[in-house]
């Protein structure tokens, strides 16, 4: 600043023209230098991670009293280098999971942190496969499905998924009688166990064996007369005086399992045979019966017939003369001596022999001798 006495000179004029500068030789003296400022001129950073470089050129510049600036005077350029701090940044795991395998992938980024900025560069993504294990099957028998939990173990995490399979469900359902004894020919009943055995099968392989409550019985096929069902009992009526072999009725049980109505395997319930056994007494008109050597029958010579047929079911029946005559006869041949009788005394046959022979028929004895010529 320039002063005249105590007054500050704010400007100089030559006439009406303002004087901007006054130099003494090469040195500007008006306005005068009141300060100097310094600094650097920088080039742009050049990155070669993990470092960056640039050129810094120092400068100095005069500041005049009127606020104007002199020319910048540049110094010697300098190279600046900055090395970044490094950091690995991981992204969030992205999972791919199914019932066969599982994996996860995440991004990997390397960050270079400089004083005023960060630079990121992508690295190879990180991938990890899960270790697979399968839990036990649980069966939905009603819907013919089964499920198992599949677990995948990762280094720091565990994921699960459900494996579901459809299959063919089948059952072996068996019932048993309380005992294996046949029902008497006199009638009676056989009880069937209220609990049946169930084998549950998946694709024809037995998975579990359990029991089921038998709710009712049904006949299968043609049922012999006299058989009925009441509850879990098979009943057979008294066979009376009807002779016959063993009777067999086929039955099966019904149960509800897994909301399915199941029929058991068939079992046979038997009723004992009804056998007729003839016993009693009879006699001939003469103590000794002579049969013509030419052979013949002696039915008409029978006397005092009292024959009773007793059945294995306890029934009995007295045979009339005509009924007995239809069952029993005696036949002889020339020079035949020997007598035999079948179980029901239906026929007495005389064979070869030389002396009298006694035939034992229940309580009576008949002596038969062939006539000699």
């Amino acid at each position: 600043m320039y002063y005249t006495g105590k007054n500050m000179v704010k400007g100089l004029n030559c006439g009406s023209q303002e004087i901007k500068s006054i130099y003494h030789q090469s040195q500007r003296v008006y306005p005068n230098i009141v300060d100097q400022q310094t600094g650097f001129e920088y080039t742009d950073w050049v990155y070669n991670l993990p470092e960056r470089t640039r050129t810094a050129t120092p400068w100095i510049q005069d500041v005049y009293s009127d606020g104007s600036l002199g020319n910048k005077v540049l110094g010697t350029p300098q190279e600046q280098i900055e090395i970044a701090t490094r950091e690995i940044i991981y992204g969030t795991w992205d999972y791919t999971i199914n019932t066969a395998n599982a994996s996860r992938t995440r991004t990997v980024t390397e960050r270079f942190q400089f004083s005023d900025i960060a630079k990121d560069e992508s690295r190879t993504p990180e991938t990890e496969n899960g270790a697979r294990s399968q839990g036990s099957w649980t069966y939905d028998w009603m819907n013919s499905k089964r499920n198992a939990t599949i677990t995948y173990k990762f280094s720091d995490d565990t994921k699960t998924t459900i494996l579901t399979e459809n299959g063919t469900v089948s059952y072996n359902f068996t019932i048993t009688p309380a005992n294996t004894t046949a029902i008497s020919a006199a009638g009676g009943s056989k009880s069937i166990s209220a609990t049946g055995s169930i084998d549950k099968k998946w694709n024809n392989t037995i998975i579990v064996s359990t029991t089921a409550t038998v709710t009712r019985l049904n006949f299968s096929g043609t049922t012999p007369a006299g058989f009925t069902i009441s509850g879990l009992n098979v009943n057979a009526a008294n066979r009376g005086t009807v002779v016959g072999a063993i009777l067999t009725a086929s039955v099966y049980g019904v149960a509800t399992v897994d909301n399915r109505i199941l029929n058991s395997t068939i079992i046979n319930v038997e009723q004992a045979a009804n056998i007729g056994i003839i016993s009693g007494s009879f006699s001939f008109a003469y103590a000794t019966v002579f049969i013509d050597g030419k052979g013949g029958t002696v039915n008409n010579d029978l006397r005092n017939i009292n024959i009773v047929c007793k059945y294995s079911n306890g029934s009995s029946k007295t045979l009339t003369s005509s009924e007995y005559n239809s069952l029993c006869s005696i036949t002889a041949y020339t020079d035949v001596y020997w007598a035999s009788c079948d179980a029901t005394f239906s026929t007495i046959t005389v064979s070869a022999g030389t002396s009298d022979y006694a035939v034992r028929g229940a309580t009576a004895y008949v002596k038969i001798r062939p006539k000699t010529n």
Side-chain angles (χ1 to χ4, degrees):
M1 298 295 181
Y2 286 91
Y3 292 85
T4 300
K6 295 182 179 180
N7 296 317
M8 182 178 66
V9 177
K10 294 185 176 179
L12 296 176
N13 292 76
C14 180
S16 61
Q17 183 68 39
E18 181 182 3
I19 299 171
K20 297 291 185 182
S21 301
I22 299 174
Y23 289 83
H24 174 64
Q25 296 179 359
S26 63
Q27 180 70 35
R28 191 169 76 166
V29 295
Y30 175 81
N32 62 316
I33 297 172
V34 294
D35 196 7
Q36 283 186 328
Q37 58 185 21
T38 60
F40 289 88
E41 290 185 352
Y42 298 98
T43 60
D44 292 336
W45 287 107
V46 177
Y47 290 87
N48 185 18
L49 299 175
E51 66 180 33
R52 64 180 180 175
T53 60
R54 68 179 178 180
T55 300
T57 302
W59 54 263
I60 186 170
Q61 189 174 36
D62 293 332
V63 179
Y64 294 95
S65 59
D66 62 354
S68 61
L69 301 174
N71 294 326
K72 282 184 177 180
V73 178
L74 299 177
T76 302
Q78 303 171 7
E79 184 181 54
Q80 292 183 337
I81 300 175
E82 183 182 5
I83 298 176
T85 57
R86 302 170 72 169
E87 178 186 9
I88 300 297
I89 300 173
Y90 297 97
T92 302
W93 285 111
D94 181 20
Y95 289 84
T96 300
I97 298 175
N98 55 49
T99 56
N101 51 60
S103 63
R104 63 179 184 175
T105 303
R106 64 180 177 181
T107 59
V108 179
T109 303
E110 187 171 8
R111 174 164 292 176
F112 300 90
Q113 183 65 56
F114 295 96
S115 58
D116 60 346
I117 194 173
K119 293 286 187 179
D120 292 341
E121 285 195 350
S122 296
R123 297 291 180 253
T124 302
E126 189 176 60
T127 298
E128 182 183 6
N129 294 320
R132 184 183 186 275
S133 62
Q134 180 174 322
S136 301
W137 289 109
T138 58
Y139 290 83
D140 180 1
W141 299 100
M142 186 184 304
N143 297 304
S144 301
K145 296 179 182 293
R146 67 177 181 177
N147 302 311
T149 299
I150 306 298
T151 300
Y152 293 101
K153 182 69 176 178
F154 296 92
S155 57
D156 60 353
D157 196 7
T158 299
K159 296 292 185 181
T160 60
T161 188
I162 301 299
L163 172 62
T164 299
E165 289 185 354
N166 296 317
T168 301
V169 172
S170 58
Y171 301 82
N172 283 344
F173 176 25
T174 58
I175 60 174
T176 56
N179 60 70
T180 57
T181 305
I183 298 174
S184 168
S189 65
K190 180 183 290 295
S191 62
I192 304 300
S193 175
T195 301
S197 299
I198 294 283
D199 288 333
K200 296 183 179 183
K201 297 198 292 186
W202 177 268
N203 293 341
N204 212 36
T205 298
I206 295 176
I207 300 300
V208 62
S209 295
T210 183
T211 58
T213 299
V214 181
T215 56
R216 69 177 186 274
L217 298 175
N218 289 330
F219 284 119
S220 175
T222 302
T223 304
F227 278 88
T228 58
I229 289 175
S230 58
L232 299 182
N233 296 303
V234 179
N235 309 308
N238 192 317
R239 299 181 68 171
T241 59
V242 178
V243 175
I246 294 173
L247 296 178
T248 301
S250 298
V251 299
Y252 62 88
V254 179
T256 301
V257 178
D258 300 328
N259 208 32
R260 304 169 188 259
I261 297 176
L262 303 182
N263 294 334
S264 74
T265 54
I266 292 173
I267 63 171
N268 293 322
V269 177
E270 295 183 344
Q271 185 178 24
N274 200 27
I275 301 172
I277 302 173
I278 297 176
S279 64
S281 61
F282 57 91
S283 63
F284 291 96
Y286 304 97
T288 300
V289 179
F290 291 94
I291 300 175
D292 192 316
K294 296 179 180 181
T297 62
V298 293
N299 286 339
N300 293 331
D301 292 324
L302 293 174
R303 299 288 186 272
N304 303 320
I305 299 172
N306 181 24
I307 303 300
V308 176
C309 183
K310 292 185 177 180
Y311 300 89
S312 55
N313 64 358
S315 300
S316 62
K317 180 180 181 181
T318 300
L319 301 182
T320 65
S321 176
S322 62
E323 288 173 329
Y324 181 80
N325 286 333
S326 68
L327 292 175
C328 299
S329 64
I330 299 175
T331 304
Y333 304 93
T334 304
D335 296 328
V336 170
Y337 179 78
W338 187 76
S340 64
C341 181
D342 68 11
T344 59
F345 305 106
S346 61
T347 302
I348 296 177
T349 303
V350 178
S351 302
T354 58
S355 61
D356 292 349
Y357 190 85
V359 177
R360 185 170 188 266
T363 60
Y365 291 86
V366 179
K367 190 175 289 187
I368 302 174
R369 187 182 67 187
K371 182 179 179 180
T372 58
N373 293 326

